[in-house]
Amino acid sequence: MGSRTMPLGRTLDLPDSIGERDNVNKNYEVSAHDEKVSLIDHEQTGALGQILSPASGTRKATNRSLSGMKSFCSDDVDLEDGKLVKDRERTAHLHVLGKVHNQALLSGIAYCISSCSMILVNKFVLSSYDFSGGIFLMVYQNLVSVIIVSFLSFSGIILTEPLTWRLIKVWLPVNVIFVGMLITSIFSLKYINVAMVTILKNVTNVITAVGEMYLFNKHHDNKVWVALFFMIISAISGGITDLTFHAVGYSWQFLNCLLTASYSLTLRRIMDTAKQVSKSGNLNEFSMVLLNNVLSLPLGLMLLVAFNEVDYLSKTPLLRMPVFWLVLTASGLLGLAISFTSMWFLHQTGATTYSLVGSLNKIPLSIAGILLFNVPTTPENFSSILFGLLAGVFFAKAKMMERT
């Protein structure tokens, strides 16, 4: 559900294609040069033979002419073949570029669908089924992720880092924040509608920006601060005009923003240390997905007991409904799908496009949340939501300009 991302695979870039075409040209030039040297040696040998044996001069001269004619014809064929090779490589290169563009579009669509579906399915489980086992939902979704990622790793489809005790000890503080981030997100989503959750999540960007400034001495552009100010205004105005306002839900969401920002900032500090204690000296996002989800299981089981969800789970009739388990499993698969599609999309495009599409993706998500769950709203509340969504897009563009 809450896995973070990195690129998958590798693409064919233009310099490699140019290099291959240059190698073909060089091979053709070397072949032509060797043929010319061979022709000169043959002619010199023929001239010497003509001096030594005048009787055979006419026959050898004819052979030389035929040999020269064959060589000339061979050069023409090689030249033609060279043009065909270039044409084929040009066509192949255009095909690769078209394939990359198609993959970027396809990965972007897959990422948007999976991320929107994940939030809507979670809201459906928590609200439509009135399910109060938020911690159990988190544990089950992470268990689904562990099973699938482990299977892919054992099959050799993906590479994951072995989970050693040294790596676990280094990563445990990040995982505690990670679990808290997931649980508070589920708790807030139970009480707040999807559109307002989307707007309130913008507060995370504000906390992260302030944390970067104080922890990493990072200075942000004025446009970034203007966008962050707009986000704060939209969150406040949205909360004031929210007809479904719930103080408990808003408290959980504010705590979620703090934990999400803390996770982002802490991850930067822990990452280098985690790489040093890993066996390969590297820690890809597949390994982080597995590490986060594996460590979250025992911690989640302890929280199940602490929040007394075990008693609720033993009494609720929902866990005896096969359809409900199907929906739970679908939410777990969508959570993992977000991890894979975001990695795929990030690799095919880049951080700037990924960030901008993520901001734009909140617009259809918010509208779908209002329509699917019949959320009562007012023009003022809807205007605040729209203002917050546009502020998110403006923030993404300002960050893009700041990077460049």
Side-chain angles (χ1 to χ4, degrees), residues 110-111 114-115 145 331-343:
Y111 165 68
S114 60
S115 60
S145 298
S331 68
L333 293 174
L334 286 170
L336 188 60
I338 293 176
S339 302
F340 283 98
T341 56
S342 57
M343 292 178 199

Side-chain angles (χ1 to χ4, degrees), residues 28 31-32 35 68-86 88:
Y28 167 72
S31 176
E35 189 171 1
M69 188 178 297
K70 288 179 182 179
S71 178
F72 178 76
C73 294
S74 178
D75 286 345
D76 287 344
V77 172
D78 289 342
L79 285 171
E80 187 65 27
D81 288 343
K83 292 179 181 179
L84 290 174
V85 169
K86 290 181 180 180
R88 283 197 298 268

Side-chain angles (χ1 to χ4, degrees), residues 200-243:
L200 293 174
K201 280 183 178 293
N202 287 335
V203 178
T204 303
N205 296 324
V206 180
I207 300 174
T208 304
V210 175
E212 287 177 336
M213 185 175 64
Y214 283 100
L215 295 177
F216 303 106
N217 295 321
K218 183 176 181 180
H219 299 284
H220 297 285
D221 189 79
N222 290 333
K223 292 182 179 180
V224 173
W225 290 113
V226 171
L228 294 174
F229 176 74
F230 287 159
M231 289 179 178
I232 296 174
I233 297 299
S234 67
I236 295 174
S237 61
I240 293 173
T241 58
D242 185 9
L243 297 179

Side-chain angles (χ1 to χ4, degrees), residues 4 14 33 95 114 159 217 237 239 246 257:
R4 293 299 179 266
L14 185 61
H33 176 72
H95 175 71
S114 60
L159 296 176
N217 295 321
S237 61
H246 199 291
C257 293

Side-chain angles (χ1 to χ4, degrees), residues 185 188-189 192-202 253:
S185 175
S188 65
L189 193 60
I192 311 176
N193 65 75
V194 174
M196 281 309 305
V197 166
T198 304
I199 297 305
L200 293 174
K201 280 183 178 293
N202 287 335
Q253 183 55 50

Side-chain angles (χ1 to χ4, degrees), residues 18 87 92 180 206 223 245 273 323:
I18 292 175
D87 291 340
V206 180
K223 292 182 179 180
F245 178 85
T273 307
V323 176

